[in-house]
Structure formats: C-alpha cells, structure tokens
Amino acid sequence: MIENAIKKPNWIKRIVIAIIGVPVGGFLLLLILATLFPFEKKPGDPVVSYYELQRLTEDAIRASMNDPASTQFRNVRQGPTPDVICGEVNARNAFGGYAPFARFYARSTPSPITPQLEIEPVLAKSRAEAVSFESNYHSNCGPT
C-alpha cells in the first residue's frame, strides 16, 4: 500500500512521453522522407532562385556604376520565364546628378555566380545599338 502511494501517477509519464516523443518522431519521419525522396532539379528548372538571381543581378549592376551606393532599382520583376529578371536602374553619374531610369534584364546562366546582364544604353552610340537592346528586352521581358 505504501508502494502505490510513492509511485508517480501513470498519466504524468504518458504526457512526458507525448511531449518528447511526438516532435522527435516527426523529425525522424521527415529525415527519412527527405532521404528517400531527395529534391532534384528538372531540366527546365532555373539554375538559381528568383531572389538569388535578383541579388546577383543587383550586385553586378552596382559594381558597374560610378557611384554604387547611389544605385536605385524600381519595377524589378520576374520575366516570362523563371530564369529572367527585368527592371529599371538609376545611379548618380560622373557629375553627381541622376539620369533617367534605364531598363535592364538579366538571365541566369549555367554559372549561377555571373548572370547574363544587359542594361539599356541611355546614350546609345548608334541606332543599331538601341534597336538591338529593344529587341532583346522585348524577347526576354515582354512588351513594356
């Protein structure tokens, strides 16, 4: 009779096992499923995610500017395919002023570190250069 009074109630053990066992069991189940069904990229999947492509593109554009800290982006969006990013960029010029926003597009390449990038030539050296960008922009980003 004294032994029954000293023993912990059975329901406390069950609660402790449930509190510890359910999360641990769930984690082990997820680990087993992740091992059995690993995430594999399909041939049409982009090399990097949209957000990673956006970061790499913005970093590459900033590096090409006279004043990287003044670089501004607007209307940044995903193109018609997941491996294209389009938008507009502006930064201070050599005189310290801002020119109009210029359009840009970038496409992920097999090397995810360096996206293929083209910025609209605001002061195009030739009509052919401006037409070339316009054609490439529309084929990568769609009509504006």
Side-chain angles (χ1 to χ4, degrees), residues 8-78:
K8 290 184 181 177
N10 201 15
W11 62 272
I12 292 178
K13 289 180 187 177
R14 289 182 181 166
I15 290 176
V16 170
I17 290 172
I19 289 173
I20 295 172
V22 171
V24 171
F27 175 74
L28 290 175
L29 179 64
L30 285 175
L31 187 62
I32 290 168
L33 289 174
T35 305
L36 293 175
F37 305 104
F39 176 75
E40 295 179 12
K41 288 190 173 235
K42 297 177 183 80
D45 287 349
V47 177
V48 295
S49 71
Y50 166 77
Y51 299 105
E52 185 66 12
L53 179 59
Q54 180 179 355
R55 186 188 64 76
L56 290 169
T57 301
E58 290 181 0
D59 289 349
I61 291 173
R62 278 191 189 93
S64 70
M65 297 294 171
N66 288 335
D67 183 3
S70 70
T71 306
Q72 301 171 345
F73 295 93
R74 73 176 186 192
N75 300 327
V76 178
R77 67 190 188 285
Q78 184 174 358

Side-chain angles (χ1 to χ4, degrees), residues 69-114:
S70 70
T71 306
Q72 301 171 345
F73 295 93
R74 73 176 186 192
N75 300 327
V76 178
R77 67 190 188 285
Q78 184 174 358
T81 59
D83 64 337
V84 175
I85 186 169
C86 307
E88 297 175 275
V89 63
N90 197 358
R92 290 188 191 276
N93 58 25
F95 300 109
Y98 284 96
F101 274 84
R103 294 175 296 172
F104 71 88
Y105 70 90
R107 177 181 293 281
S108 65
T109 59
S111 167
I113 298 170
T114 54

